[in-house]
Amino acid sequence: MGTRYKVVTIIGARPQFVKAAVVSRVLRTRCQEVLVHTGQHYDHEMSGAFFEDLQIPEPDYNLAIGSGSHGRQTGEMLGRLEQTLIDERPDMVLIYGDTNSTLAGALAAAKLHIPIAHVEAGPRNFSMRVPEEVNRLVADRLSALFFCATQTSVANLHNEGYRDGVVFTGDVMLDLHLAMRERALESDVLERLGVEHGRYVLATIHRPRNTDIDDRVHSIFGALMEIDEPVVLPLHPRAVSHLQRVGWYEKVASASHIRLTKPQGYLDFLRLELGARAIVTDSGGVQREAYFCQRPCVTLFPNTAWPETVDEGWNLCVDADKDRILDAVRTFVPDSPQTAAFGDGHAGEKIVDEMLKYLADPRPIYA
Ligand code: UD1
Ligand code: UDP
């Protein structure tokens, strides 16, 4: 009876491969899944490497949309996704997070009156200048099922008037973290980069505000230049091109304490997180993984959509302030107990259970 339903899953960017790896595995035991990759990320180290590391099934469609301005990228995805959904006629569309692939997937499905399940619904940082905030507000508005990684996400949705279909499942990234931790410890990435466990800082920077605004770039990369221990910096392609344009790339690449690398695969990156003395990041996913690894996290924004990490004392939001970044990297030593804020590591199963319950008795959301 489980294979009655057809679900089209829409992914396209690195964090979505990570999240889909968890849910797809469970979903495929109980439904027919058609996997659609929009092609938003396409470099091997941003896409293919994750399918290999995490044994994600080959996508049924790769729309190869690639990079572009927000409107153009989202618009091209929308057209192609609409045709794919018309051809496939699924019972439900599954979307993840808050990228342009999420937004296009939500719009395409809603216009065809196909119910949407949204994994990682509800986080907010309350700034409409952040592109992801726009994407998640729209995606949530169009969704039937809201799978929340935290109780804060549940509360945000309740405050916006959503009740039906809002479920605290926990974070699928915790499921994957727990499943992959032992395997990650077998990676030799520390030896390859010439760093020792517990004796380096890991940094990732990719948000447009931190790569495209010159003052912020100077503060952030100026701080990394002054850190007095090795810094491993797997740089997202967005950051590479902007650093090259403003003349920072060579400076950072030639600093003797900085190991500037390409983006790492999931297992090597997890090994780097587990071995880091501290983590500096503007990534939503890496903030949570720093918490899972119990490593101090220094976040390059004034606030976070994952306030549990801050409230429990494991994350400091220092924005792009050079002195605050350096001070936090040198002195922040969290030691508070952690709660089950991100669930129990079984989010994937809960999500699929809820989808099947809904599909057996769908509510008329687009009446
Ligand atoms: C996107 C998401 C962001 C997420 C991030 C994860 C949106 C609006 N943003 O940001 O929420 O945190 O993914 O990593 O959807 N590029 C390459 N190769 C690639 C992919 C990108 O060179 O495989 C370069 C291109 O120059 C491109 C730029 O990176 O223009 C930005 O890529 P894009 O997918 O538009 O946004 P991200 O910054 O990756
Ligand atoms: N990640 C990775 N290699 C890297 C940087 C990040 O595997 O070099 C993983 C990280 O472990 C997490 C995910 O990518 O699972 C987070 O994605 P990203 O930072 O691109 O996006 P965000 O979470 O900010 O949307």
Side-chain angles (χ1 to χ4, degrees):
M1 99 122 193
T3 52
R4 238 169 4 114
Y5 301 115
K6 185 195 270 191
V7 175
V8 166
T9 296
I10 297 171
I11 55 179
R14 175 167 69 183
Q16 296 168 326
F17 309 140
V18 170
K19 292 161 199 167
V22 173
V23 183
S24 281
R25 193 159 299 148
V26 187
L27 190 61
R28 282 175 185 237
T29 62
R30 301 178 66 187
C31 295
Q32 182 191 353
E33 182 184 46
V34 176
L35 191 59
V36 181
H37 185 332
T38 63
Q40 177 170 349
H41 286 174
Y42 43 86
D43 290 343
H44 179 74
E45 59 270 17
M46 295 295 291
S47 174
F50 291 84
F51 285 77
E52 287 169 12
D53 258 14
L54 304 176
Q55 290 160 350
I56 305 167
E58 188 73 20
D60 298 281
Y61 295 81
N62 188 327
L63 306 181
I65 300 297
S67 304
S69 65
H70 285 272
R72 191 173 156 168
Q73 185 183 53
T74 311
E76 287 184 13
M77 286 176 191
L78 180 57
R80 297 289 305 282
L81 286 170
E82 179 179 62
Q83 191 56 53
T84 309
L85 295 179
I86 289 169
D87 294 343
E88 289 291 341
R89 304 169 60 84
D91 299 294
M92 178 163 255
V93 164
L94 177 61
I95 55 173
Y96 291 88
D98 52 19
T99 73
N100 287 347
S101 299
T102 317
L103 174 64
L107 286 170
K111 296 278 182 156
L112 293 168
H113 311 165
I114 304 167
I116 298 165
H118 187 193
V119 174
E120 213 176 279
R124 301 285 184 259
N125 59 12
F126 307 102
S127 169
M128 292 296 274
R129 297 183 72 87
V130 173
E132 289 77 14
E133 185 81 352
V134 176
N135 292 347
R136 50 199 175 215
L137 282 168
V138 176
D140 282 336
R141 180 65 188 83
L142 301 176
S143 292
L145 292 177
F146 310 80
F147 299 129
C148 297
T150 64
Q151 292 292 359
T152 307
S153 296
V154 171
N156 290 336
L157 290 168
H158 285 176
N159 287 340
E160 290 169 22
Y162 302 101
R163 290 275 158 188
D164 279 359
V166 176
V167 187
F168 170 68
T169 56
D171 190 351
V172 289
M173 291 183 77
L174 176 60
D175 295 22
L176 192 65
H177 173 85
L178 296 173
M180 294 291 163
R181 225 177 138 102
E182 289 306 314
R183 265 182 69 198
L185 287 170
E186 292 165 15
S187 157
D188 63 358
V189 66
L190 270 53
E191 290 78 17
R192 279 187 275 123
L193 293 175
V195 291
E196 289 174 52
H197 186 96
R199 292 173 173 260
Y200 62 90
V201 172
L202 174 66
T204 77
I205 293 139
H206 75 276
R207 297 283 176 178
R209 275 177 75 194
N210 290 336
T211 57
D212 305 9
I213 300 177
D214 285 353
D215 286 353
R216 295 179 68 92
V217 171
H218 286 295
S219 296
I220 292 168
F221 288 90
L224 296 186
M225 293 291 280
E226 286 182 29
I227 289 178
D228 29 29
E229 60 196 309
V231 175
V232 176
L233 180 61
L235 213 48
H236 187 288
R238 169 192 282 286
V240 172
S241 49
H242 288 279
L243 287 191
Q244 283 168 338
R245 192 171 48 75
V246 296
W248 263 99
Y249 188 82
E250 280 309 316
K251 266 190 269 185
V252 172
S254 58
S256 60
H257 70 296
I258 297 185
R259 313 284 191 273
L260 179 60
T261 72
K262 290 198 160 216
Q264 299 290 311
Y266 182 85
L267 290 167
D268 288 341
F269 190 76
L270 176 51
R271 178 68 190 95
L272 285 165
E273 289 175 314
L274 289 165
R277 192 193 56 74
I279 296 177
V280 177
T281 192
D282 58 10
S283 158
V286 176
Q287 287 175 58
R288 280 128 74 200
E289 289 171 345
Y291 175 92
F292 306 153
C293 294
Q294 304 205 336
R295 295 295 175 270
C297 186
V298 178
T299 293
L300 304 168
F301 280 132
N303 62 12
T304 174
W306 306 103
E308 297 77 4
T309 59
V310 173
D311 297 344
E312 293 190 19
W314 288 87
N315 189 1
L316 281 184
C317 292
V318 297
D319 209 2
D321 179 320
K322 185 174 166 188
D323 293 337
R324 290 180 69 202
I325 297 168
L326 282 168
D327 189 48
V329 168
R330 287 174 183 146
T331 63
F332 179 40
V333 184
D335 61 1
S336 329
Q338 294 193 343
T339 68
F342 294 91
D344 60 4
H346 294 282
E349 291 97 313
K350 289 180 191 133
I351 285 168
V352 175
D353 281 348
E354 292 294 331
M355 288 171 70
L356 283 161
K357 258 195 261 169
Y358 178 92
L359 286 165
D361 183 18
R363 290 182 288 281
I365 43 164
Y366 300 123

